[in-house]
């Protein structure tokens, strides 16, 4: 009867789905219902229920083996033979029925009902959005982007192993940043390749871009005078280079400081030059050179870096003003001379090579 009711109301597929989810209705086999009915009748008649229940259920068990289909007719007869239990009186199952329950065959389920393939109607009435919990997907122990190691540029390792001829050739045809698009010449550097003094500026200007040599304009002449005051001269125990090898210009065509990305692209060339030269003292000419070598905040003013001997890879580094700045601010030339005196004192304190 229950199967026919399910088929008529179209609930067959819904009940199967509930059963598959583990939340379906609890089915009671007919032999168990008959067993309970006999037990209730026996209690009311003050008779032992165990033998009557076993006798009533025995025919059903005989015709319903575990591996075969149950005969509906036999179960109907066995169930009809027992008096009906009063519906309003809950009755506990007698203890004698426990052995039968332990050895009972698999439950008999309703045959599947043909469905039209669509979702059951009860699904439309459920509020999944209100009952669903957020799904937490494990990240596999991944770290934040800030903790991840930066990708290694294989070109940097090649640059670090080059000698002077290979390094000069690579710089002449460099395309590591956008400064190459507006240059006329790359400016590698000039001077004694075994010098004890290394002077480092910001980048090439218009005159340097045209001639391919650092500090050749008015700022270059002032730098030459500074070298002479120190007992040095261009090309003799002194080497001059820049942080970037190509001229940085703005949209208006005027010189500008290089960007951090441009510095990062070009700095491996200067680092290799320092390794090849092995100078005793480094002199940073201007803010860009100082913060690029020391890895400091771009907002750091030169005035805070002056008067102190810094270290760059165990080499002493002294910071002073850029010659181009001194041409515009003549009053700071005395400060620049004090910086050069500090550099000479530091040089004298270094052990001879």
């Amino acid at each position: 009867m229950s199967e026919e009711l399910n088929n008529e109301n179209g609930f067959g597929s819904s009940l199967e789905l509930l059963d598959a989810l583990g939340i379906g209705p609890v089915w009671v086999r007919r032999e168990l219902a008959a067993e309970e009915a006999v037990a209730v009748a026996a209690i009311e008649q003050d008779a032992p229920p165990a033998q009557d229940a076993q006798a009533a259920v025995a025919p059903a068990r005989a015709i319903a083996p575990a591996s075969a289909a149950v005969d509906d007719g036999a179960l109907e007869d066995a169930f009809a033979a027992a008096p009906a239990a009063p519906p309003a009186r809950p009755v506990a199952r007698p203890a004698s029925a426990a052995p039968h329950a332990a050895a009972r065959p698999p439950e008999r389920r309703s045959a599947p009902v043909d469905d039209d393939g669509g979702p059951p109607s009860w699904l439309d009435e459920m509020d999944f959005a209100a009952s669903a919990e957020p799904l937490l997907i494990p990240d596999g122990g991944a770290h934040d982007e800030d903790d991840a190691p930066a990708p290694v540029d294989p070109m940097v390792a090649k640059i670090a192993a080059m000698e002077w001829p290979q390094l000069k050739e690579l710089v002449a045809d460099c395309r590591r940043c956008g400064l190459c698009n507006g240059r006329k010449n790359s400016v590698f550097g000039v001077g004694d390749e075994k010098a004890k003094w290394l002077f480092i500026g910001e980048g090439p200007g218009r005159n340097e871009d045209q001639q391919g040599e650092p500090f050749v304009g008015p700022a270059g002449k002032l730098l030459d005078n500074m070298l002479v005051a120190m007992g040095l001269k261009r090309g003799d125990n002194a080497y001059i280079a820049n942080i970037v090898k190509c001229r940085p210009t703005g949209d208006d065509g005027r010189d500008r400081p290089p960007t951090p990305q441009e510095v990062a692209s070009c700095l491996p060339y200067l680092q290799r030059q320092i390794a090849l030269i092995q100078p005793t003292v480094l002199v940073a000419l201007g803010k860009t050179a100082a913060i690029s070598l020391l890895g400091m905040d771009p907002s750091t003013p030169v005035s805070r870096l002056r008067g102190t001997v810094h270290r760059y890879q165990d080499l002493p580094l002294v910071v002073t003003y850029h010659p181009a700045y001194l041409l515009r601010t003549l009053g700071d030339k005395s400060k620049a001379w004090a910086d050069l005196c500090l550099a000479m004192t530091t040089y004298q304190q270094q052990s001879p090579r």
Side-chain angles (χ1 to χ4, degrees):
M1 297 291 292
S2 60
E3 290 185 5
E4 296 177 358
L5 179 60
N6 289 338
N7 293 338
E8 290 177 359
N9 295 336
F11 294 148
S13 59
S14 300
L15 295 176
E16 286 185 39
L17 180 57
L18 288 173
D19 193 12
L21 294 175
I23 58 175
V26 179
W27 299 95
V28 180
R29 296 197 315 275
R30 292 173 177 173
E31 63 266 29
L32 296 181
E35 186 176 326
E36 291 180 356
V38 172
V40 171
I43 292 174
E44 291 180 351
Q45 298 175 4
D46 296 329
Q51 296 180 355
D52 295 340
Q54 293 178 358
V57 176
R61 293 185 181 275
I63 62 175
S67 59
V70 180
D71 190 345
D72 292 339
L75 292 176
E76 291 286 352
D77 295 341
F79 185 75
R89 295 178 56 188
V91 179
R93 180 182 297 180
S96 60
H100 298 285
R104 66 190 183 188
E107 296 180 3
R108 180 175 180 269
R109 297 179 178 178
S110 302
V113 180
D114 293 337
D115 195 12
D116 58 358
S121 58
W122 56 268
L123 286 176
D124 297 334
E125 301 175 0
M126 296 183 65
D127 188 3
F128 289 98
S131 60
E133 296 182 357
L135 179 62
L136 300 179
I137 302 176
D139 57 2
H143 300 283
D144 294 338
E145 295 181 359
D146 295 340
D147 298 334
V152 179
D153 186 352
M155 194 61 190
V156 174
K158 294 181 180 179
I159 294 173
M162 290 182 176
E163 298 297 329
W164 285 110
Q166 301 166 317
L167 191 61
K168 292 177 181 178
E169 183 180 355
L170 182 61
V171 170
D173 194 36
C174 178
R175 294 291 187 273
R176 288 176 59 82
C177 71
L179 293 181
C180 62
N181 297 325
R183 75 181 178 206
K184 291 184 178 179
N185 293 289
S186 61
V187 181
F188 181 79
V190 65
D192 186 356
E193 295 178 354
K194 290 299 180 181
K196 297 179 181 179
W197 289 89
L198 176 58
F199 296 85
I200 304 171
E202 177 182 283
R206 182 176 62 86
N207 296 324
E208 290 79 7
D209 179 58
Q210 292 177 350
Q211 301 183 35
E213 184 176 337
F215 289 93
V216 295
K221 292 181 180 179
L222 178 56
L223 178 59
D224 290 340
N225 293 335
M226 295 167 65
L227 295 178
V228 171
M230 298 173 64
L232 304 172
K233 64 179 181 180
R234 186 185 293 253
D236 185 7
N237 200 24
Y239 195 95
I240 304 172
N242 285 311
I243 291 295
V244 295
K245 307 302 184 185
C246 300
R247 180 191 180 193
T249 56
D251 296 336
D252 57 358
R254 302 179 65 180
D255 295 340
R256 62 166 177 82
T259 65
Q261 292 76 16
E262 293 165 349
V263 171
S265 299
C266 208
L267 196 58
Y269 296 133
L270 177 62
Q271 291 172 339
R272 183 53 182 166
Q273 287 176 300
I274 296 174
L276 291 172
I277 296 171
Q278 297 182 3
T280 302
V281 177
L282 283 70
V283 178
L285 303 172
K287 174 180 175 179
T288 300
I291 63 176
S292 298
L293 292 172
L294 298 176
M296 304 189 72
D297 192 291
S299 62
T300 306
V302 175
S303 59
R304 291 182 53 186
L305 302 176
R306 293 181 54 254
T308 303
V309 179
H310 304 274
R311 308 296 295 187
Y312 173 79
Q313 297 182 355
D314 295 332
L315 295 175
L317 184 147
V318 176
V319 179
T320 190
Y321 294 107
H322 194 281
Y325 168 81
L326 295 176
L327 291 176
R328 301 189 303 268
T329 314
L330 299 178
D332 286 340
K333 283 187 177 182
S334 59
K335 297 180 181 179
W337 175 243
D339 298 333
L340 296 180
C341 291
L342 175 61
M344 289 186 288
T345 301
T346 303
Y347 174 79
Q348 292 172 359
Q349 294 174 350
Q350 299 303 306
S351 301
R353 294 188 295 177

